[in-house]
Amino acid sequence: MEELTIDHISPRGFQMTAETKIVEILGDANLSREEAITLALETTVSKLPRDQRPTLKTVKTFALHEGPIVTKVVHFWDIRDSNTGEVKRSTFKFQSLRRTNDRGWELEHHHSFSPGGENLPDSGDNPYRFLSSMNSVKDVRGYIVLDSEGIDLERLSDVLAIVSSTGKQGELLSRIFKWIHEDPQAHSRLTQLSSDDLPGSQSLAAAINYVRYAEALNRFKGMVERNAPEQDFQTFLEENHWLFGSEYSELIDKRTLVVGQQLDFLLRKTVDGYLEVIEIKTPLDGASGLVKDTSHGIYCLGSETNKSAQQVLNYLSTHEAELHQIKSKENLDVSRIRGKLIIGRDGCEAEQNARRLYNANSHMVEVISFDSLIRMGQRILDIMVEQNPGLLEMDSPINSIDRFNPDDLHF
């Protein structure tokens, strides 16, 4: 029996204590590799202390290297409490089998180790390479088995740090979205994942859009309340034109079709494909933009609203006059183009009714309030919830906004 004593350095840099490797003669060289491995396992198990001895059927064996002369294997088993049967720890045993002509099969015992313990093997029997190859091991007690090839260890470390702390799911999602944004190949992979799991991807998209839309709607409501400048509304709605409603399919990325006239928004309608000019003004410090005709007791457009409506009418007239030039130059059909003016607040019920009456009789320009945009945004969120009831359990930043009433929409 031959004894060798060597010092070991683990892949993580721990200095190992000296240990003895023992070489045993297993049997005739005519034994097959599989027979030699089985015999080596039986020999190993028989020499273990009784409280560490597994049944052979519970031992998993993996070949790390199968050469013409040397075969390196590792055995894995759980050590259980003899009274309760509870798993106390998992153990790995490394061995080398050498086929020789004169002595037959030789078994060289390397060390045993448990995950997380100090007695780790050296780089020649890299435990991390072994663990990453253990696709058949479903449960290594208290450890996750990963294939390390291609893994970004820095990002993996970030993920593990986040998921090991409670209440940080949002931070993990934020980090994942950031990585997807930075990875040029991530979008195609995400598309493939979405097609493979349509229900899951739809739920995820609904949750993402719901939060994004809810936060935007809350910001918009704040802007309306503080009577933000017209330019602020233009910038905000350019980024969140979904607030105009689902009746629009596209925001046209052109603001000047006629020299000297700059449009706020040009959108294509979903149903008929016709274009619509949307002009944004201000909430008028809470006023409705309508005035009461005391002689008749009715409301009509105030001077500011009427002037703005005439401005939109002038846009429409000029664009229709340049119909053929715009079609030739921009490839846009502005025939039957219509307009929408967003100005002021709802006002009282009589003012709202007067606005409805005006719109019912105006064939070119529709006048709506900023409150109508808020209700449209809320309606879109309500539809999301109807299609994905689980969204109701989410914390929403729009609790202060009234629920949708179809009669409140003026367009």
Side-chain angles (χ1 to χ4, degrees):
M1 184 176 294
E2 181 181 358
E3 296 185 357
L4 298 174
T5 302
I6 60 174
D7 289 335
H8 294 275
I9 303 294
S10 80
R12 288 186 176 176
F14 293 116
Q15 178 68 44
M16 311 308 296
T17 58
E19 71 171 70
T20 300
K21 289 184 179 180
I22 302 174
V23 177
E24 297 182 63
I25 305 301
L26 279 180
D28 191 272
N30 291 325
L31 290 174
S32 68
R33 188 195 311 270
E34 290 72 22
E35 290 172 330
I37 292 175
T38 300
L39 184 57
L41 177 58
E42 293 174 349
T43 301
T44 300
V45 171
S46 67
K47 294 182 178 181
L48 290 172
R50 296 193 63 84
D51 62 342
Q52 298 182 19
R53 194 177 299 177
T55 59
L56 290 176
K57 65 179 181 180
T58 64
V59 179
K60 294 180 172 65
T61 298
F62 302 89
L64 298 178
H65 172 75
E66 295 183 350
I69 298 177
V70 176
T71 297
K72 293 189 175 185
V73 298
V74 63
H75 308 294
F76 163 78
W77 65 87
D78 291 329
I79 297 177
R80 299 177 179 270
D81 186 286
S82 58
N83 296 320
T84 65
E86 181 182 355
V87 174
K88 296 189 292 185
R89 66 179 186 275
S90 300
T91 293
F92 300 91
K93 176 69 176 180
F94 286 80
Q95 296 176 331
S96 293
L97 289 84
R98 182 184 299 272
R99 189 200 299 263
T100 66
N101 292 326
D102 54 343
R103 295 187 300 277
W105 281 95
E106 295 179 345
L107 170 61
E108 182 180 2
H109 291 278
H110 298 274
H111 39 267
S112 300
F113 78 97
S114 296
E118 292 186 354
N119 189 25
L120 297 173
D122 66 7
S123 57
D125 292 319
N126 192 327
Y128 308 107
R129 178 166 59 88
F130 159 65
L131 288 173
S132 69
S133 69
M134 292 178 60
N135 296 325
S136 300
V137 178
K138 303 302 182 184
D139 182 16
V140 179
R141 306 293 172 179
Y143 291 84
I144 300 174
V145 179
L146 298 174
D147 182 352
S148 60
E149 182 177 356
I151 287 182
D152 186 326
L153 296 180
E154 183 177 353
R155 287 184 175 178
L156 176 60
S157 176
D158 289 344
V159 169
L160 294 178
I162 293 173
V163 299
S164 62
S165 302
T166 58
K168 289 194 173 183
Q169 294 88 342
E171 182 181 341
L172 177 59
L173 287 174
S174 176
R175 194 72 58 89
I176 291 174
F177 294 150
K178 180 176 183 291
W179 292 336
I180 291 175
H181 178 71
E182 294 172 348
D183 187 346
Q185 298 180 353
H187 292 89
S188 60
R189 292 199 295 268
L190 189 60
T191 300
Q192 182 60 50
L193 287 173
S194 298
S195 64
D196 292 342
D197 182 10
L198 286 176
S201 60
Q202 288 171 352
S203 296
L204 177 61
I208 293 172
N209 285 332
Y210 183 81
V211 172
R212 182 165 60 90
Y213 285 8
E215 290 179 348
L217 182 57
N218 199 46
R219 286 170 52 204
F220 182 73
K221 184 173 184 291
M223 293 172 65
V224 172
E225 292 295 336
R226 68 174 181 270
N227 197 55
E230 180 180 332
Q231 181 58 49
D232 290 355
F233 283 111
Q234 291 177 358
T235 301
F236 177 85
L237 290 170
E238 186 173 352
E239 298 174 354
N240 298 277
H241 54 274
W242 60 271
L243 274 170
F244 292 127
S246 58
E247 66 174 307
Y248 302 103
S249 62
E250 180 185 7
L251 174 65
I252 306 299
D253 188 23
K254 293 184 183 296
R255 299 185 61 185
T256 303
L257 302 181
V258 174
V259 176
Q261 291 188 349
Q262 188 176 54
L263 309 176
D264 285 348
F265 295 95
L266 182 65
L267 293 98
R268 191 183 303 279
K269 302 197 74 173
T270 301
V271 176
D272 53 24
Y274 289 122
L275 300 178
E276 186 163 283
V277 172
I278 297 183
E279 181 71 13
I280 304 293
K281 293 304 180 181
T282 72
L284 300 177
D285 283 321
S288 67
L290 287 88
V291 294
K292 189 173 185 179
D293 183 348
T294 54
S295 61
H296 297 88
I298 61 173
Y299 284 92
C300 56
L301 299 186
S303 60
E304 182 68 22
T305 305
N306 188 61
K307 181 177 68 175
S308 298
Q310 288 296 323
Q311 177 186 350
V312 177
L313 279 172
N314 184 54
Y315 287 159
L316 302 181
S317 176
T318 305
H319 282 73
E320 286 195 339
E322 302 287 336
L323 172 67
H324 299 294
Q325 290 87 337
I326 294 174
K327 177 67 174 177
S328 175
K329 183 178 179 180
E330 305 292 351
N331 195 29
L332 292 173
D333 182 6
V334 294
S335 62
R336 299 183 63 183
I337 190 171
R338 298 187 77 249
K340 184 172 288 181
L341 170 65
I342 301 173
I343 189 170
R345 303 295 299 272
D346 273 349
C348 66
E349 184 176 354
E351 290 170 298
Q352 295 178 46
N353 289 333
R355 191 184 291 110
R356 290 192 184 98
L357 182 61
Y358 173 86
N359 289 333
N361 291 277
S362 174
H363 302 293
M364 297 297 290
V365 179
E366 187 177 14
V367 178
I368 67 172
S369 68
F370 278 83
D371 294 292
S372 288
L373 280 191
I374 292 175
R375 285 190 291 273
M376 176 55 72
Q378 181 61 56
R379 175 54 179 157
I380 291 173
L381 292 178
D382 288 346
I383 292 174
M384 289 182 176
V385 171
E386 290 171 7
Q387 297 174 346
N388 300 273
L391 295 176
L392 283 174
E393 300 176 5
M394 300 175 60
D395 293 331
S396 172
I398 54 172
N399 294 329
S400 60
I401 298 176
D402 295 334
R403 307 304 290 177
F404 168 72
N405 181 349
D407 294 335
D408 290 336
L409 289 181
H410 305 315
F411 59 97

